[in-house]
Amino acid sequence: MATTSLTTCPYCGVGCGVQVTDEDGAISVKGDKLHPANFGRLCSKGSALADTIGLEDRLLHPQINGKQASWDTALNAVSNGLKKIIEEYGPDAVAFYVSGQLLTEDYYVANKLMKGFIGSANIDTNSRLCMSSAVAGYKRAFGSDSVPCSYEDLEQAELIVIEGSNTAWCHPIVYQRIVKAKQQRPELKIVVIDPRKTATCDIADLHLPIKPGSDATLFNGLLSYINKQQRINWDFVNPHTEGVVEALLAAEKSAAGISQVAQICELSEQDVRLFYQFFADTKKVVTLYSQGVNQSSSGTDKSNSIINCHLATGRIGKPAMGPFSITGQPNAMGGREVGALSNQLAAHMELNNPAHHDLVSRFWQTDNLASVAGLQAVDMFEQIANGKIKAIWVIATNPVVTLPNADVVRRAIEDCELVIVSECELNTGTAARANILLPALAWGEKCGTVTNSERRISHQRNFLPHPGEAEEDWWILSQVAKRMGFGEAFNYQSSADIFREHAALSGFENKGKRDFDISGLAEITDKQYDELSPIQWPVTARDSEGTERMFEDGRFFTATGKAQFIAITPRPPANATDEEYPLILNTGRVRDQWHTMTRTARSARLNAHISEPIIQIHPADAKAYNLKNSGIARLDSLWGNMLARIAVTEEQRPGSVFVPMHWNDFLASKGRVNALVNPVVDPISGQPESKHTPIKVAPYRPAWYGFMFSRTALAPSNAEYWVKIKGDQFFRYELAGETAISDPFSWAKKQLGNDGEWLEFSDQNEKRFRAGKIIDNRLESIIFIAPEFDLPARSWLSQVFSEQTVTDEMRMSLLAGKPGAGLPDTGPMVCACFGVGENTIMEAIASGSAKTAEDIGTLLKAGTNCGSCIPELKNIISNKQPH
Ligand SMILES: Nc1nc2c(c(=O)[nH]1)N[C@H]1C(S)=C(S)[C@@H](COP(=O)(O)OP(=O)(O)OC[C@H]3O[C@@H](n4cnc5c(=O)[nH]c(N)nc54)[C@H](O)[C@@H]3O)O[C@H]1N2
Ligand SMILES: Nc1nc2c(c(=O)[nH]1)N[C@H]1C(S)=C(S)[C@@H](COP(=O)(O)OP(=O)(O)OC[C@H]3O[C@@H](n4cnc5c(=O)[nH]c(N)nc54)[C@H](O)[C@@H]3O)O[C@H]1N2
Ligand code: SF4
Ligand SMILES: [Mo]
């Protein structure tokens, strides 16, 4: 029998509604047609959710020092451990590092325990690496952390400026909504500001490949231009803002005219002028920005340079207008609401505001509420490294992979006296170094609320049983709180209890003074909570249906009620390139992986798009540094090094390379890019400069290259470079080693196991070796070694693993290392939803039957589900056509 449930996607901040169908235990997902974030669509990651819910490698029982323990023992160990350190060294010797992937209820309890009862503000969240500059920018301008816009504003806009956001890959459904709006209204203009030509540029009328780090100059120049063109909206500016004169003076000083801006930002004057004209001449403008703005040592200033231009033109608080910082994680917004950044209190209140301190103390009935800001993520791990912090509880984040200067972070965790980790997965770099491991319920098993980029609160509902002994994060935290003696305040019976308390606090003595107010939900019943429909905050008695847009009345939450212009003096990134480190390392995301891959790497189809840590580099730089496409490069910075597969592409800006943030130590021997990333932070927000580290690059020259496929997981030996990739019926390992293999056959047997029937081909002179192992006439594993990296197509070999029997022809093909045997090589995966490879697409184009992306969709289905691969389809078509 089939049952269906409605929930919310656990990945990005778009916050799509998901409909899950359980047909006798077989789970499938599709988009929730009625959810106002996605109206039924899902991207490649959302569509593959069912692939990721298996229990292999899940953490299902508490562990102490690697040994299974009962909950009681583990919880006592946590509370006694924390208490002992607090008694000896004070509350600031302990810290929590939490995450925008927690549900609001979990988040609320973590923050309440640390700030309200342990009495330290040493709780920070991975949102420090993500949204903190946007938060600081909004607060400086509006006096509150309020994202003013809705997704509908994007659809109704006349100009969308996409700055430092690869929306097509990172917020795919918002991007699809923009694509659709542009199809319906081709006059909708799109400007993309990104040093790289990303998939998002597919719909751009103008792409500005800006010099990395120079965005504040571009927007200061825009403010100055708006002034010179007499486009300042004084009817808005005079009554509703303060500080315009100072902001204009600073803008004029740093970016006097178009030619100066063009020079500093390394853009053409023509492009800068066009952008400025678009902005000045268009009324309905939304600026959508993300990590290319935030992750910078001047990220807060950059966000204010954008907000300044919206204030100057009065384009805020009105339909189709506004500075829209799009959030990354599913509950980045929830974390902001509960105040889990170390400088905030709960419900958008301030730690250093005595009235807020008093209010929260009374509401929580505590006399121990922290009153001094705690440590920010990067400093927190520095204090762990130098021994000032002696206990750290990490919940739903993986800092040994995602914090900058990650090798030092890893060492800090290894040396810390007490490391507690709440996780769903066994194999994360951080979990592997925990003293106490606490098993948390995962997506589909837990239940609570999340808030998306447009302030919309949605329910994540459980549809799977609780596996093993895994528990809700709020339950784990409350149990520890009770054992530490704070039982009264943590007596929650359900996530609904917590939600009601959180909602009540938001409305407590609020009376319109604070932006975050969901008091309209403070008294909902358990049933209403279970059935809660997506709703945008504020939700009050007056606005019981939620609020689409903030600041419609032109009033802001500053002391004077007026929005603040901020005078911006642009600063270059903290570390410039030099002779030794001549290239800029830019880092970020790829289409089909989520963060440290603990979940997405479970899905074969998501692994097929970009399977290895890559370095994208411009052909001119590749030539200058002697790098060949598909070879391996070694990257070094002042902080660390890594190895990555070389992808030469014109889309990369010369002088700058792009490396994904995703690979962890369980999936790649040396693929953690954060080992190289500069730990410098923005002085206001504390956000690291993840987009700009000077590096050098050199070809990696191993003695041999190779790969293995196997139906079971292996542990490669003698390979300095390895990457593990889960395929459909196999695991694939990409390999390279520094020591020549003298006896390849015995080495192969060591890797793959001695059993089965072996096919073997060896050419000693050429140092090539190929072998396959067959069990019951079915291909069990294969191994290929060569002195060069031009090994046979992996895509074809992956297909052989789907075959039930190995035919004689296949044996020949395998040994020859060439596709054949009636199985054409479909090429690297382009469409993850329908598994369509590049070669198949090229054939359709070559045959003349497909001329457009739509034709490819009709013929091969590629691009017709989530649409994320459409920019790549268009790229393949344009490369194929004669120029
Ligand atoms: N597929 C996928 N989607 C995700 C995630 C994921 O892991 N995978 N994670 C989610 C999360 S938590 C987040 S925060 C978002 C992030 O979403 P995005 O911010 O869109 O993603 P990034 O790839 O980190 O960086 C965005 C772009 O900033 C550009 N950039 C670098 N330097 C500069 C600069 O100086 N100026 C400008 N203007 N641009 C610059 C980069 O080239 C890059 O294309 O994605 C969310 N969505
Ligand atoms: N170089 C570089 N570094 C970056 C970035 C970048 O662009 N460049 N981006 C930064 C940004 S924007 C972000 S948001 C961070 C993300 O960085 P992280 O948060 O460190 O990355 P994740 O892999 O999402 O880690 C989440 C962990 O929580 C676990 N988990 C999932 N759900 C639950 C749950 O319900 N309970 C518990 N207890 N655990 C759970 C997952 O298994 C996973 O191990 O990375 C940052 N680091
Ligand atoms: S865009 Fe994709 S990853 Fe983001 S919430 Fe929607 S389905 Fe999930
Ligand atoms: Mo993020």
Side-chain angles (χ1 to χ4, degrees), residues 148 519 618:
S519 51
H618 189 271

Side-chain angles (χ1 to χ4, degrees), residues 409-421:
V409 170
R410 185 165 67 185
R411 235 173 292 135
I413 291 211
E414 281 166 356
D415 295 343
C416 182
E417 200 174 312
L418 176 61
V419 178
I420 305 153
V421 175

Side-chain angles (χ1 to χ4, degrees), residues 709 732 792-800 824-829 839:
F709 281 68
R732 172 180 142 209
R794 324 300 196 261
S795 43
W796 177 74
L797 288 161
S798 346
Q799 290 160 240
V800 180
D825 176 15
T826 56
M829 183 82 84
N839 293 353

Side-chain angles (χ1 to χ4, degrees), residues 436-582:
I436 306 177
L437 265 177
L438 306 171
L441 291 172
W443 180 77
E445 300 157 3
K446 61 182 182 176
C447 136
T449 56
V450 290
T451 309
N452 76 359
S453 287
E454 53 167 5
R455 288 173 282 105
R456 194 182 294 281
I457 300 169
S458 288
H459 214 124
Q460 254 195 37
R461 296 186 181 84
N462 53 317
F463 53 88
L464 292 168
H466 292 185
E469 293 180 279
E471 285 287 356
E472 315 256 6
D473 284 296
W474 65 260
W475 180 89
I476 303 172
L477 284 152
S478 307
Q479 288 297 320
V480 169
K482 281 183 191 165
R483 284 167 164 81
M484 292 181 80
F486 313 127
E488 283 288 288
F490 293 87
N491 215 356
Y492 305 114
Q493 302 305 311
S494 66
S495 54
D497 277 354
I498 304 165
F499 184 81
R500 282 186 289 261
E501 181 179 313
H502 165 60
L505 174 56
S506 75
F508 188 55
E509 297 176 8
N510 187 334
K511 301 192 186 78
K513 284 188 291 217
R514 307 189 303 267
D515 68 328
F516 179 67
D517 187 344
I518 53 165
S519 51
L521 300 171
E523 286 174 15
I524 56 175
T525 61
D526 285 1
K527 186 160 180 287
Q528 285 168 325
Y529 174 79
D530 284 343
E531 292 169 357
L532 186 70
S533 299
I535 187 164
Q536 283 175 292
W537 65 255
V539 188
T540 57
R542 206 187 58 184
D543 295 309
S544 60
E545 298 300 308
T547 311
E548 196 178 352
R549 199 165 295 105
M550 304 290 290
F551 310 128
E552 285 185 313
D553 57 2
R555 279 190 55 251
F556 296 85
F557 293 90
T558 51
T560 54
K562 293 181 180 185
Q564 303 294 307
F565 278 91
I566 305 291
I568 301 298
T569 306
R571 299 193 303 278
N575 288 38
T577 52
D578 57 21
E579 255 174 38
E580 186 168 8
Y581 298 104

Side-chain angles (χ1 to χ4, degrees), residues 76-113:
N76 284 337
V78 172
S79 61
N80 291 338
L82 292 175
K83 273 197 298 198
K84 189 167 150 263
I85 289 170
I86 293 168
E87 271 158 28
E88 200 167 334
Y89 303 100
D92 288 336
V94 301
F96 292 179
Y97 184 54
V98 299
S99 156
Q101 290 166 77
L102 285 173
L103 300 172
T104 299
E105 294 76 3
D106 303 325
Y107 233 150
Y108 178 86
V109 175
N111 192 53
K112 181 177 179 184
L113 173 58

